[in-house]
Amino acid sequence: MTTATIGLVILLVLNVLIWRKAFDSVAADPPSLRAAAAAPPTPAIEPSAEELQAEVDQQTVVVVIGDSFTSGSAMNSGPEWLDQIGNANGWITRDLSIGGTGYILGEPNADVVSRVANPTGVQADLVIFASGYNDVGKFPNAQIEQAARTAIEAASAAFPGADVLVLSPWSSGPPADLQRDMARRLRAVASDAGDPYLDVLDALTADQIGSDGIHPTDDGHRAMTAFMQAALDRLQLPRPDAYQLP
């Protein structure tokens, strides 16, 4: 037998031994282990709608009904003051604000009264009314006051268990007499409803207003965030323990 033939025989024998060892190793695995290795992964269980709602119920929910001073404008790039506060505190925020509207302006569907009457299932721990800027000067203040009273009184039915905070209209500069009169009227509406009131007429300075002369810039929204955060801390709002399902 030649040297080449002997080498070939040795190689064949080694291959047989290697395959036999591998087979014995697989055969030695208990059936349960082999079955576990072959079993497909267990699919993740998606939370039910009830579980998702329960998670939301455990978080603080803040709703704002206002105008573009809350929803934002071309003068800022975002996030707006409401989102900034929500992110900082871990709150869920719901912005029901619509630019160019007010307690009256925007009828019959986009005005504040309509939005309170049809909250689309939104629930809240705290509802903030931040409107009136676009109404002042277009309607008599007494008419705006009555619309605000209707909206704020309806909030207890639309958002059961929620606290309500009423703001004066925002201002883009030194408040005019009509704006200050409207602020006084809104303070009275809040007082009659037993709700806290916050005057924001002087929250913004001229350098925080954009080139349109009306809307806050990013610096303006940061100033609004600081102003609102300090006020909410002082008023001890929101109060998650007051939250109730509708």
Side-chain angles (χ1 to χ4, degrees):
M1 181 179 295
T2 65
T3 303
T5 303
I6 294 172
L8 180 59
V9 171
I10 293 173
L11 182 60
L12 289 172
V13 171
L14 288 174
N15 282 334
V16 170
L17 292 174
I18 291 171
W19 280 102
R20 178 59 183 270
K21 183 175 182 180
F23 177 81
D24 291 344
S25 175
V26 172
D29 287 342
S32 61
L33 183 59
R34 292 199 300 273
T42 302
I45 300 175
E46 295 294 331
S48 66
E50 291 76 12
E51 290 171 331
L52 289 173
Q53 183 60 56
E55 182 178 349
V56 171
D57 292 345
Q58 294 173 3
Q59 295 181 272
T60 299
V61 182
V62 176
V63 169
V64 175
I65 305 175
D67 47 38
S68 54
F69 277 81
T70 299
S71 63
S73 72
M75 297 296 102
N76 74 291
S77 59
E80 287 72 32
W81 69 266
L82 175 60
D83 289 334
Q84 291 180 33
I85 286 182
N87 293 338
N89 292 280
W91 299 338
I92 295 175
T93 56
R94 297 284 186 263
D95 187 3
L96 302 186
S97 303
I98 301 176
T101 66
Y103 285 106
I104 300 174
L105 202 63
E107 290 180 330
N109 299 312
D111 58 294
V112 170
V113 175
S114 298
R115 276 176 276 164
V116 173
N118 301 282
T120 63
V122 174
Q123 302 159 353
D125 295 291
L126 174 64
V127 178
I128 301 175
F129 284 91
S131 191
Y133 177 91
N134 294 304
D135 292 317
V136 175
K138 298 181 179 69
F139 304 95
N141 277 4
Q143 186 180 350
I144 303 170
E145 176 187 354
Q146 184 54 52
R149 190 177 298 277
T150 299
I152 291 164
E153 288 176 351
S156 59
F159 304 95
D163 286 306
V164 172
L165 173 62
V166 181
L167 307 188
S168 71
W170 298 96
S171 180
S172 304
D177 290 343
L178 274 177
Q179 288 176 301
R180 293 207 179 276
D181 177 67
M182 193 67 249
R184 287 190 292 269
R185 290 173 180 271
L186 289 174
R187 181 190 294 273
V189 170
S191 177
D192 291 345
D195 297 322
Y197 168 83
L198 179 63
D199 192 317
V200 298
L201 282 174
D202 299 308
L204 290 164
T205 57
D207 60 329
Q208 295 164 344
I209 301 300
S211 58
D212 67 351
I214 297 174
H215 295 97
T217 61
D218 287 323
D219 283 344
H221 277 277
R222 282 189 285 270
M224 295 160 80
T225 297
F227 187 95
M228 290 299 300
Q229 184 68 71
L232 291 174
D233 290 344
R234 184 173 67 254
L235 295 168
Q236 298 183 337
L237 293 172
R239 300 180 302 153
D241 59 322
Y243 179 77
Q244 297 176 10
L245 290 175

